[in-house]
Amino acid sequence: MAKLIYSAITSLDGYVADPDGNFDWAVPDDEVHAFVNDLERPTGTYLYGRRMYEVMVGWETDPALAGQSSLMRDFAELWQAAEKIVYSTTLEQVSTTRTRIERAFDPEAVRQLKAAARADIAVGGPELAAHAFQAGLVDECRLFVTPIVVGGGKQSLPDEVRLELELVDERRFAGGVVHLRYRTSI
Ligand SMILES: NC(=O)c1ccc[n+]([C@@H]2O[C@H](COP(=O)([O-])OP(=O)(O)OC[C@H]3O[C@@H](n4cnc5c(N)ncnc54)[C@H](OP(=O)(O)O)[C@@H]3O)[C@@H](O)[C@H]2O)c1
């Protein structure tokens, strides 16, 4: 069975975006980017909330983004190769290939997707992921803790969810980011 993985680049105080909605402080440096690329390479399907999808589309629709470096081109190519499901009640059409819209998050459908998938599945951003956490569907959390405190904003992890976690990997980067990989316990 495929794993459902939640990944986020988060501030030390647990936010993916600051009170003004900015997350420029979360942009990975080359060392982190190379690590992210290798971590994401096996992902077969991305489950996106509409807002995260709107941030990510540029990896297919904006050639200038991929053109910035070989690392960014590599990420663009692996992202374009994966399937995407966008959850939204408002989005009328998608602007990327291998992409479909779902109007509601159905835990049973995601359970079946996990059972049938041959490659791991990722879920993001936090609002959509909260539904997956609440349904007990998340198998792994991968957090890139960035050395900044932003004092509020969009939480990386949902309220009212309690999870026992097992730390299965960690890595420290020269720029001060720490990657923590946790498996959810039964
Ligand atoms: N730290 C970083 O590296 C980083 C990177 C990228 C983005 N970000 C930040 O993260 C934010 C995205 O996360 P987010 O939590 O705000 O949003 P999100 O989870 O990506 O998207 C929320 C939207 O998804 C749809 N949705 C959620 N649950 C649904 C359900 N059960 N059924 C149907 N549709 C559902 C809704 O779209 P509709 O309103 O269309 O119905 C909802 O408004 C970005 O806006 C950005 O600020 C941070």
Side-chain angles (χ1 to χ4, degrees):
M1 191 167 86
K3 282 184 295 199
L4 183 65
I5 298 163
Y6 173 65
S7 302
I9 301 179
T10 174
S11 65
L12 179 61
D13 52 346
Y15 298 96
V16 297
D18 68 22
D20 298 322
N22 291 326
F23 52 95
D24 48 356
W25 47 265
V27 173
D29 64 17
D30 283 358
E31 188 190 13
V32 175
H33 216 305
F35 183 85
V36 167
N37 288 6
D38 289 341
L39 211 56
E40 294 296 319
R41 210 174 302 282
T43 303
T45 305
Y46 288 95
L47 311 184
Y48 282 128
R50 191 253 312 155
R51 285 200 283 270
M52 183 58 90
Y53 175 71
E54 286 173 347
V55 173
M56 298 303 287
V57 285
W59 290 106
E60 185 164 326
T61 60
D62 179 6
L65 185 61
Q68 285 180 29
S69 70
S70 56
L71 282 169
M72 291 170 86
R73 181 168 309 285
D74 182 30
F75 185 81
E77 285 173 3
L78 69 89
W79 191 81
Q80 289 173 28
E83 300 293 319
K84 292 110 192 156
I85 302 174
V86 186
Y87 291 82
S88 174
T89 59
T90 61
L91 196 66
E92 288 179 359
Q93 58 185 35
V94 294
S95 43
T96 52
T97 55
R98 299 189 179 87
T99 309
R100 65 183 168 88
I101 299 173
E102 284 286 344
R103 295 296 179 205
F105 184 85
D106 174 3
E108 189 46 41
V110 176
R111 215 165 268 127
Q112 287 173 18
L113 189 67
K114 283 172 66 174
R118 296 219 298 255
D120 286 341
I121 303 165
V123 62
E127 187 183 317
L128 178 72
H131 295 279
F133 278 112
Q134 280 150 6
L137 287 165
V138 178
D139 303 289
E140 217 174 274
C141 286
R142 297 173 178 175
L143 299 179
F144 290 84
V145 180
T146 304
I148 187 169
V149 170
V150 298
K154 170 69 66 172
Q155 282 179 214
S156 52
L157 289 164
D159 287 330
E160 294 168 21
V161 167
R162 184 188 166 96
L163 274 178
E164 305 285 332
L165 300 164
E166 179 191 354
L167 181 67
V168 289
D169 195 20
E170 79 278 333
R171 164 121 177 220
R172 173 187 171 145
F173 297 90
V177 169
V178 176
H179 175 246
L180 299 168
R181 185 156 77 88
Y182 294 99
R183 190 182 295 145
T184 56
S185 306
I186 4 110

